[in-house]
Amino acid sequence: MRVRLVAFVVVLLLATGLAVGYVAMKSTDLPSHQGAGADTVADKGLALKTVLAQPHIAFRSTSPGPTYGKLAVVPLDAPRGDRAATDRDCDRVYAAAQAAVCVAADRGVLTTYRLDILNADLTPRTSIDLNGLPSRARMSSSGSLAATTMFVSGHSYAGNSFSTETVLHDVASGNAIDNVEKFRIVVRGRASDDPSINVWGVSFRPGDDDTIYATVAIGNETWLAKGSVARRELRTIADGIECPSVSPDGTRVAFKKRSTSGGTRTWRVSVLDLRTGASTPLAETRSVDDQPEWLDDEHVLYGMQRQNSGISDVWAVPADGRGEPAVFLPRAWSPAVVGGQDAAAALPPVR
Amino acid sequence: MYTSVKGIGRLPAPLNGSRRTGPAVSSTVVLLGLTSLFTDISSEMVVAVLPLYTTVALGLSPLQFGIVDGVYQGAAALFRVVAGYTADRTRRPKAVATTGYLLSAATKPALLLVGGLAGLTAVLGVDRAGKGIRTAPRDAMIVASTPPGRLGQAFGVHRSMDTVGAMAGPLVAFAVLSALPGSFDAVFVTSFCFALVGVAIIALLVEERAADFGVSSRTARDSRTVRFRDALALVRNRDLMRASVAASLLAVVTISDGFLYLSLSERHDIPIRLFPLLFLVTATTYILLAVPLGWVADRIGRARVFIAGHVVLIAAYLVVLAPATSTTRVILALSLVGAYYAATDGVLSALTSRLLPESLQSSGLAVVQTGVTMGKVVAALAFGALWTYLGLSIAITTFAVGLAAAVAASCLLLPGATNIKPASR
């Protein structure tokens, strides 16, 4: 029995040593978040600085392995090639030329989320606490405003009951400047004071820090609304439209159109022409529960989960309803195109 | 009375409720409790971070969730019975139980190596198999080292230590993740270390010995080994079969924890980030009540406490259903669930063991536990389906009504449930 007792103590010491030793070793290996960013050489040797200096896509990597869930960038002209990953875990990513945002989790017994505001080189600038679970994040093309939508109850749009909170943030100071759901919301011509209104999926008109498009919903009805940050107002302009994203030339909005068949909710990604009011379903026939992002004036990007897997890919489909969808950026989620067509492009006059 | 088990081995001598010799709870029970504690820390750590590890939501509907869970439970059921029989036949419950613990421990390093979801689910399946293998033999070991009049209390001690481990698991996991954000490999390595300690405790510190209680030493050395037909003959043990049916019926109308928390969050608008706290409330109540209720079961009858636990569960469902929402109600519902666990989990094993001959403890316990597990599989599918197609209120109401019916049936089926005199065993 004594032999066994000794053997047990040995095992106990070994196990403790292994656990403590491993944790200690990893904590010296792991660069702190403060250090991550400009110096990070990444996945397969692409240097972050090089990629950031050219038109690129910022996204959340879903490559299985050490870079899973991390903020990463890839050159716009080589999306299927090597990527430069940072050490930053993000649930949602968006970026503009001057800044980027990352919705990140503080894991603990109670997991909370925060909005990390990053500089152009992806070094951290400031952080703001967010309520709830991440849903969408977008920035204005100048990078001075960011909008986040979080689920304060429920956790997906596929559920029957969920409540969202959509907040506008000033990127320079990091302050939350407005709760979009407190805007004056005009539904079908009449101001609504329904407290259960949900607003989500804000998208900024490129080149414009004031005009926004968003989804407004009361119960099961959803509308596309257009609004003004300065006037704190949203007006519905078309119905059945969710998660809008404004095209680089400002004339169209890509969105997901909801339909309920056999008890399950599905969405078709489509494009609305703001001038004519005509809406065209795009060639992707699978259900897309994502806010689309424009690659350029001809193509729309959206995320698609792989079956039975934690991996997702970003697909591209022509914006005119023709052609076929194809994987554009594999093993990715939440893409943001930076330095593409929308950068300082000449825009038609504001309507 | 036990015609079906004639000749297998001496039955435990009938004991009246007043014989309580020996230490209240033997060192074996405490050590097995520690094994379970460390093992639970290990497995609950992993369970807590899995949703994060596969972080992009799979978008499963409640029905799909139930199916995945059900497949696991069903697969483990076969292992339970085979392992239980093996433990009895070889008279080495400790060896079989240790194998189960070892198997589960081995899955932790495997987690470091698997990449995709398929590999992950396979590893989890093996872990569950290990759990199935060890549960009945371990309970048999608890029985063998405890005076029959103290079985309820002994199981109460074991289960409460087990639950302490289950509570500590997520806390340890998140402590590791706060120190090393995103480092799931560190979580898995730490989990492995806890599992190793658990295996070491049972392998090295727990002594395997013939049953101390209930049989004379002569029959303990009885050379006639248990044969397969003896195990099959358990089916003709009517009290055992009735108990098994009753336990399974009750299990079929029990809402699983996962669904219960989801129901609470829907009805009472609880933010998702507070989910871990829900479990803490249930676990705390369980830990506080497990030993006292086990003690009560020893005195007034285990069948009665077992059934009463399910009545408490009906009350919990009603609280969840109640239209108004308040923090008090949520805590009340969770505490009632904890009380249900305290009154039923260990008590069922105590109850069952008394219906079995000493040489078939593991097999018999495995049979009843398998019945309960299969019942839970059906329950998960049924609840998921009801919720998806008919809505949450109907689902909960159906289960509450079903549970009431099962309670009534159990009063008829369980020996000693309705006797005026306290059960003499």
Side-chain angles (χ1 to χ4, degrees):
Chain A
M1 184 57 197
R2 193 165 299 171
V3 173
R4 290 171 160 216
L5 196 52
V6 168
F8 172 73
V9 171
V10 168
V11 172
L12 184 61
L13 289 175
L14 282 177
T16 314
L18 176 59
V20 171
Y22 193 87
V23 170
M25 183 187 77
K26 293 280 312 201
S27 54
T28 55
D29 273 358
L30 208 66
S32 68
H33 280 277
Q34 291 303 314
D39 300 330
T40 309
V41 174
D43 226 18
K44 298 179 187 163
L46 262 197
L48 199 62
K49 276 190 186 146
T50 320
V51 180
L52 289 174
Q54 48 181 299
H56 57 275
I57 302 186
F59 60 99
R60 174 181 196 258
S61 170
T62 60
S63 261
T67 58
Y68 185 92
K70 307 266 194 256
L71 168 60
V73 294
V74 82
L76 192 55
D77 54 10
R80 304 181 75 109
D82 292 345
R83 55 190 56 178
T86 64
D87 274 313
R88 182 171 294 278
D89 279 294
C90 296
D91 263 62
R92 298 285 184 275
V93 169
Y94 206 76
Q98 284 74 30
V101 294
C102 160
V103 178
D106 283 318
R107 307 272 178 217
V109 179
L110 301 182
T111 298
T112 54
Y113 288 86
R114 59 177 198 274
L115 182 68
D116 285 338
I117 299 192
L118 313 173
N119 297 311
D121 59 1
L122 301 185
T123 52
R125 191 191 298 177
T126 181
S127 285
I128 320 170
D129 286 334
L130 295 170
N131 277 332
L133 298 177
S135 167
R136 310 286 181 219
R138 281 288 191 274
M139 296 175 76
S140 63
S141 59
S142 70
S144 58
L145 285 179
T148 55
T149 298
M150 305 286 280
F151 285 109
V152 291
S153 77
H155 52 277
S156 91
Y157 297 111
N160 275 322
S161 69
F162 56 84
S163 175
T164 55
E165 187 172 271
T166 298
V167 177
L168 288 173
H169 309 267
D170 170 55
V171 173
S173 64
N175 293 331
I177 50 179
D178 228 328
N179 179 342
V180 178
E181 281 161 11
K182 302 266 192 330
F183 276 19
R184 178 168 177 266
I185 303 182
V186 177
V187 179
R188 283 194 289 233
R190 261 189 284 159
S192 168
D193 53 7
D194 191 329
S196 69
I197 277 196
N198 276 320
V199 177
W200 71 81
V202 170
S203 171
F204 294 87
R205 189 169 186 269
D208 184 351
D209 279 345
D210 187 59
T211 310
I212 56 173
Y213 290 83
T215 318
V216 164
I218 301 180
N220 271 328
E221 292 190 86
T222 58
W223 294 272
L224 171 68
K226 179 184 174 191
S228 154
V229 173
R231 288 198 310 272
R232 302 186 78 244
E233 183 184 78
L234 273 174
R235 286 176 178 271
T236 62
I237 58 177
D239 66 336
I241 292 185
E242 293 183 37
C243 285
S245 176
V246 187
S247 63
D249 63 11
T251 62
R252 288 155 297 158
V253 161
F255 63 97
K256 56 182 213 203
K257 182 163 187 67
R258 177 195 292 198
S259 65
T260 316
S261 53
T264 43
R265 205 167 277 177
T266 57
W267 289 273
R268 180 73 182 264
V269 64
S270 314
V271 167
L272 170 76
D273 188 322
L274 288 169
R275 295 164 299 191
T276 66
S279 112
T280 314
L282 302 187
E284 173 61 73
T285 50
R286 296 171 296 177
S287 177
V288 175
D289 184 4
D290 192 17
Q291 185 174 19
E293 160 81 347
W294 291 80
L295 172 63
D296 51 36
D297 278 318
E298 282 85 46
H299 299 90
V300 168
L301 298 176
Y302 52 94
M304 214 51 186
Q305 185 96 33
R306 290 191 196 174
Q307 286 280 45
N308 301 322
S309 165
I311 305 176
S312 52
D313 305 295
V314 171
W315 290 64
V317 72
D320 57 6
R322 296 200 283 250
E324 269 183 25
V327 173
F328 179 76
L329 175 57
R331 300 182 303 280
W333 189 256
S334 192
V337 177
V338 182
Q341 226 170 327
D342 64 332
L347 291 167
V350 175
R351 277 206 300 166
Chain B
M1 188 161 43
Y2 293 112
T3 52
S4 57
V5 300
K6 200 180 341 189
I8 288 181
R10 190 65 60 84
L11 297 168
L15 296 157
N16 59 36
S18 62
R19 173 174 160 180
R20 283 188 191 93
T21 57
V25 167
S26 74
S27 61
T28 303
V29 172
V30 173
L31 286 172
L32 287 173
L34 280 176
T35 306
S36 293
L37 190 150
F38 278 89
T39 307
D40 267 19
I41 292 182
S42 163
S43 52
E44 293 305 315
M45 279 179 74
V46 170
V47 166
V49 303
L50 271 180
L52 308 181
Y53 191 55
T54 57
T55 209
V56 180
L58 297 181
L60 297 179
S61 74
L63 178 59
Q64 290 169 302
F65 194 80
I67 291 178
V68 172
D69 203 43
V71 166
Y72 280 144
Q73 302 279 22
L78 183 62
F79 283 106
R80 281 181 194 269
V81 176
V82 170
Y85 176 67
T86 309
D88 282 332
R89 189 179 164 86
T90 59
R91 295 194 189 193
R92 307 275 309 275
K94 177 181 152 176
V96 178
T98 308
T99 309
Y101 281 109
L102 209 50
L103 200 59
S104 292
T107 63
K108 304 303 180 291
L111 283 170
L112 290 169
L113 304 170
V114 295
L117 201 64
L120 202 63
T121 53
V123 165
L124 291 179
V126 172
D127 185 45
R128 292 247 184 178
K131 181 166 180 170
I133 289 174
R134 67 185 181 243
T135 308
R138 179 205 61 210
D139 281 355
M141 290 172 76
I142 294 177
V143 170
S145 62
T146 306
R150 301 245 199 207
L151 278 177
Q153 194 176 345
F155 274 106
V157 167
H158 174 266
R159 296 301 199 252
S160 55
M161 293 178 82
D162 192 324
T163 310
V164 168
M167 257 179 45
L171 297 176
V172 174
F174 290 118
V176 172
L177 282 181
S178 342
L180 300 172
S183 205
F184 293 105
D185 53 335
V187 173
F188 298 148
V189 167
T190 314
S191 166
F192 177 57
C193 295
F194 275 98
L196 269 183
V197 174
V199 171
I201 295 176
I202 183 174
L204 299 170
L205 297 180
V206 172
E207 283 177 20
E208 173 128 64
R209 51 191 179 207
D212 292 334
F213 293 95
V215 292
S216 70
S217 53
R218 181 165 47 98
T219 45
R221 288 193 291 272
D222 195 323
S223 58
R224 186 187 186 291
T225 51
V226 165
R227 291 226 270 271
F228 190 60
R229 77 167 83 108
D230 302 325
L232 281 182
L234 279 177
V235 176
R236 274 182 276 135
N237 177 340
R238 286 167 65 202
D239 280 340
L240 178 69
M241 284 301 112
R242 284 205 205 118
S244 192
V245 167
S248 305
L249 274 180
L250 288 165
V252 163
V253 281
T254 300
I255 304 177
S256 75
D257 279 355
F259 275 132
L260 207 57
Y261 298 151
L262 282 177
S263 309
L264 270 175
S265 81
E266 285 260 339
R267 302 282 305 191
H268 296 265
D269 213 26
I270 302 176
I272 287 190
R273 66 196 175 93
L274 292 181
F275 258 45
L277 287 185
L278 301 182
F279 174 63
L280 281 181
V281 176
T282 311
T284 307
T285 328
Y286 186 178
I287 292 172
L288 290 174
L289 293 177
V291 178
L293 286 180
W295 184 88
V296 167
D298 286 336
R299 290 209 169 29
I300 69 167
R302 288 145 195 156
R304 287 194 184 136
V305 173
F306 184 68
I307 290 178
H310 287 87
V311 173
V312 165
L313 192 61
I314 299 179
Y317 293 169
L318 295 177
V319 173
V320 175
L321 261 183
T325 190
S326 75
T327 318
T328 322
R329 274 180 211 253
V330 171
I331 295 184
L332 179 62
L334 293 169
S335 309
L336 288 172
V337 173
Y340 148 76
Y341 276 117
T344 57
D345 203 54
V347 171
L348 179 62
S349 291
L351 188 165
T352 309
S353 81
R354 300 305 293 154
L355 302 171
L356 297 164
E358 179 254 327
S359 53
L360 281 167
Q361 288 285 319
S362 294
S363 308
L365 284 168
V367 164
V368 172
Q369 286 165 356
T370 302
V372 169
T373 309
M374 300 310 292
K376 288 189 182 170
V377 168
V378 173
L381 291 172
F383 192 78
L386 279 172
W387 187 349
T388 308
Y389 294 115
L390 293 177
L392 186 55
S393 302
I394 296 188
I396 300 181
T397 314
T398 311
F399 269 64
V401 168
L403 197 48
V407 163
S410 303
C411 289
L412 298 174
L413 288 170
L414 281 176
T418 48
N419 285 350
I420 298 173
K421 282 190 285 218
S424 60
R425 40 190 178 180

